[in-house]
Amino acid sequence: NYHSNLVDCNSYGRLNFSDEDGNQQPQFVKVAVDYEDSEKVKTVIKLLESRWSLPAPNLLISVTGGAKDFHVLPELLAEFKKGLMKAVKSTNAWVITGGTNTGVMKLVGEAVRSYSGSNVTAIGIASWGIIKNKEQLIRPT
């Protein structure tokens, strides 16, 4: 597969976005999970809950769709953002997307950024092969 290869990698840390105005430095980790190996899945869950101190969610909201950019009427975009954040706040949910800044995933990112309440847990799961400048994310061994 072009965008994913199983390799050992020491890739984790915090991201710094030069174009962002907030103090957020989101965390990242590269993982290869064999879903038939429940111990590897448990390790990822332990990382999220223990190491990153994310409270366990009551609900997972997975927003999927095309990565192609499209135009949304401002009224519909406002309702989408409002509805998504209302669902997140009322259920203590995690929002999960494909982890890129395109298409519907970009709209979710805009909704999360515009939310001015308590923290929102948003998790992007992207294939390693599509990450721009991924070499900068690998720690020297």
Side-chain angles (χ1 to χ4, degrees):
N1 187 328
Y2 177 73
H3 287 299
S4 59
N5 294 314
L6 185 60
V7 295
D8 290 329
C9 181
N10 195 9
S11 181
Y12 60 92
R14 291 188 176 271
L15 300 174
N16 293 309
F17 294 110
S18 60
D19 62 340
E20 295 295 318
D21 58 351
N23 299 326
Q24 297 284 340
Q25 290 186 323
Q27 299 179 87
F28 74 93
V29 64
K30 179 183 177 191
V31 296
V33 177
D34 178 356
Y35 294 104
E36 294 176 7
D37 185 344
S38 63
E39 289 306 310
K40 289 183 181 179
V41 174
K42 288 177 186 175
T43 300
V44 173
I45 293 170
K46 184 177 179 181
L47 168 74
L48 296 173
E49 293 180 342
S50 300
R51 184 82 170 161
W52 289 2
S53 302
L54 296 177
N58 294 327
L59 179 69
L60 296 176
I61 299 175
S62 176
V63 183
T64 59
K68 184 176 180 181
D69 285 325
F70 56 91
H71 176 72
V72 177
L73 294 174
E75 305 83 39
L76 292 176
L77 181 58
E79 286 301 313
F80 171 76
K81 290 178 180 181
K82 180 181 170 184
L84 178 61
M85 291 302 102
K86 183 177 179 180
V88 168
K89 184 178 178 183
S90 66
T91 61
N92 184 38
W94 289 357
V95 181
I96 300 178
T97 72
T100 62
N101 194 26
T102 58
V104 72
M105 297 164 285
K106 183 175 184 175
L107 298 181
V108 171
E110 290 173 4
V112 170
R113 265 192 310 280
S114 68
Y115 179 63
S116 60
S118 58
N119 290 336
V120 174
T121 300
I123 299 173
I125 303 173
S127 296
W128 184 249
I130 66 167
I131 305 296
K132 184 177 178 183
N133 299 322
K134 62 185 161 278
E135 297 78 20
Q136 296 177 13
L137 302 177
I138 300 173
R139 293 175 176 250
T141 54

